[in-house]
Amino acid sequence: MHVRKLTSGFAAVLAVTFSLLGGQAVAAPAPVADHLAAARVVTYDASGSAEFRSAVDRGAAIWNESVDAVELQPVASGQRANIRVLADNGWPRAQTTSLGNGTVYIGRQAVDQGYNTIRISSHELGHILGLPDRKPGPCTSLMSGSSAGVACTNPYPNAAEKAEVEGNFGGELARTAGAVPVGVTIVD
């Protein structure tokens, strides 16, 4: 989101500067690209996430810090969310219904085994954003999930994962292969 703000502000500064220098008056250039103008807003309802509410909010914030093409926001009261986040006693999983829509389960079984709740949240939200599991994998890959081990607490997507989400939501980078099929449950 930082890119959109900076490029439109920069264009306005250039237009004013050139007009003050006595150059020919021209219209300010359009934003760099229309697809950068607005992120797709995806809402989430974490009211059923029990003790994991702050981890869910942090996981959403991490995605918002990491990509520009989509923004995760808490659902407004009385509205229907794109993503429901629930806590249960099973293993963490995501059930996708379409890109940006589905249900995330923050399973206590993994938490009880020592897995990091913010990493779990970020990982499961990654599935809803179109990313598949990439197991086995290193801790630097958010989508390596549990295969990175309980010592791994990295909740951030790597460059390839960020680029894939950008592509999935119409960002500047092209969509890559391996996206999550819809209508499936991904158990991590």
Side-chain angles (χ1 to χ4, degrees):
M1 306 213 194
H2 314 341
V3 172
R4 287 188 298 278
K5 292 176 186 172
L6 288 174
T7 55
S8 61
F10 183 67
V13 167
L14 282 177
V16 170
T17 301
F18 286 131
S19 66
L20 292 174
L21 293 174
Q24 181 178 351
V26 293
V32 172
D34 289 339
H35 60 273
L36 290 178
R40 177 174 160 196
V41 174
V42 173
T43 59
Y44 67 94
D45 178 358
S47 63
S49 63
E51 69 269 26
F52 306 118
R53 177 65 183 258
S54 64
V56 172
D57 290 337
R58 184 64 192 127
I62 286 168
W63 277 109
N64 290 342
E65 296 164 13
S66 300
V67 297
D68 291 324
V70 64
E71 182 175 349
L72 298 170
Q73 294 180 357
V75 69
S77 179
Q79 299 294 312
R80 184 167 185 236
N82 299 101
I83 306 168
R84 285 185 332 144
V85 184
L86 305 171
D88 73 2
N89 293 326
W91 194 256
R93 60 202 179 279
Q95 183 175 14
T96 60
T97 54
S98 63
L99 182 63
N101 296 285
T103 304
V104 164
Y105 298 87
I106 308 293
R108 292 182 183 97
Q109 183 179 357
V111 175
D112 291 346
Q113 291 180 19
Y115 289 95
N116 180 274
T117 58
I118 298 172
R119 180 173 166 86
I120 292 169
S121 174
S122 293
H123 174 93
E124 298 306 333
L125 289 169
H127 287 312
I128 302 296
L129 299 178
L131 299 178
D133 278 324
R134 298 220 164 82
K135 296 178 181 181
C139 185
T140 55
S141 169
L142 175 62
M143 300 315 292
S144 67
S146 62
S147 71
V150 295
C152 178
T153 60
N154 171 39
Y156 291 91
N158 64 27
E161 293 162 338
K162 292 176 193 179
E164 190 169 346
V165 169
E166 293 283 9
N168 289 347
F169 285 89
E172 194 168 327
L173 301 171
R175 185 177 178 145
T176 57
V180 173
V182 297
V184 299
T185 301
I186 302 163
V187 180
D188 298 305

